[in-house]
Amino acid sequence: ARFWRMLISFFLLGLGISGVTPMLPAILEGRGADVDVAVRIQAVLGLSSIAGRLAGGWLMDKVFAPWVTVVAASAAAAGLALLLNTGEWGLMAALAGVGLGLATGMESDVIAYLSSRYFPSSLLSTVLGLMVAAYLGGAAIGPIALTAGERLTGDTIYLMLGGLLCV
């Protein structure tokens, strides 16, 4: 049961986080941001993912690892929620990029760490491979599925809500 819960959770996180992340400049532009701002926010997201990668590993040494997952998912959810309400493209949009970036960086550490802690070492390579495949499967499907939803409705708000629901 734990295996399936983790597998589905990682799939949904990949779907929600990576469904929105590559679309972020287009979402920002569609909501009225200048191209320069959209590109800068994407850069903030990239730098935040590096910080998330480092922070995730450090945090899992200090804090119960499932709580790090909660922090990563909450950072993504907060970033998506900020995008839903942002009309000003300075600090709030940058914070949305930071939230998504932190989550993107932390998730890969969390997948490996939790797989190594909750499953026997004799199965680790198989379990880790399946967990990463689930996350990447969600990440591959996410942009396609959320963009299809946007095209059906004509509004990026549904794209962001879909991502938020997955996270």
Side-chain angles (χ1 to χ4, degrees):
R2 175 179 287 156
F3 172 82
W4 291 108
R5 282 194 308 264
M6 287 175 64
L7 192 81
I8 291 166
S9 295
F10 290 137
F11 175 80
L12 291 173
L13 281 171
L15 186 74
I17 294 169
S18 296
V20 174
T21 300
M23 304 297 296
L24 188 59
I27 291 169
L28 292 170
E29 286 178 54
R31 295 178 63 87
D34 292 334
V35 174
D36 293 351
V37 171
V39 170
R40 284 190 189 121
I41 300 304
Q42 191 72 11
V44 166
L45 187 148
L47 292 172
S48 297
S49 71
I50 294 169
R53 181 95 171 166
L54 297 171
W58 182 81
L59 280 171
M60 284 185 288
D61 288 339
K62 309 287 182 200
V63 181
F64 184 53
W67 288 112
V68 177
T69 307
V70 170
V71 168
S74 297
L80 289 168
L82 283 171
L83 279 179
L84 287 172
N85 294 317
T86 298
E88 172 267 311
W89 299 114
L91 179 62
M92 297 305 276
L95 288 174
V98 167
L100 287 168
L102 288 174
T104 301
M106 284 184 185
E107 280 311 312
S108 56
D109 287 345
V110 166
I111 292 169
Y113 189 88
L114 291 178
S115 295
S116 72
R117 293 296 179 252
Y118 288 111
F119 299 99
S121 60
S122 61
L123 298 175
L124 180 59
S125 61
T126 302
V127 169
L128 181 57
L130 291 170
M131 295 296 170
V132 169
Y135 181 82
L136 293 176
I141 294 168
I144 297 165
L146 296 177
T147 301
E150 177 204 359
R151 288 193 177 156
L152 286 172
T153 62
D155 193 354
T156 58
I157 194 163
Y158 295 104
L159 178 112
M160 292 181 288
L161 283 172
L164 188 58
L165 288 173
C166 289
V167 172

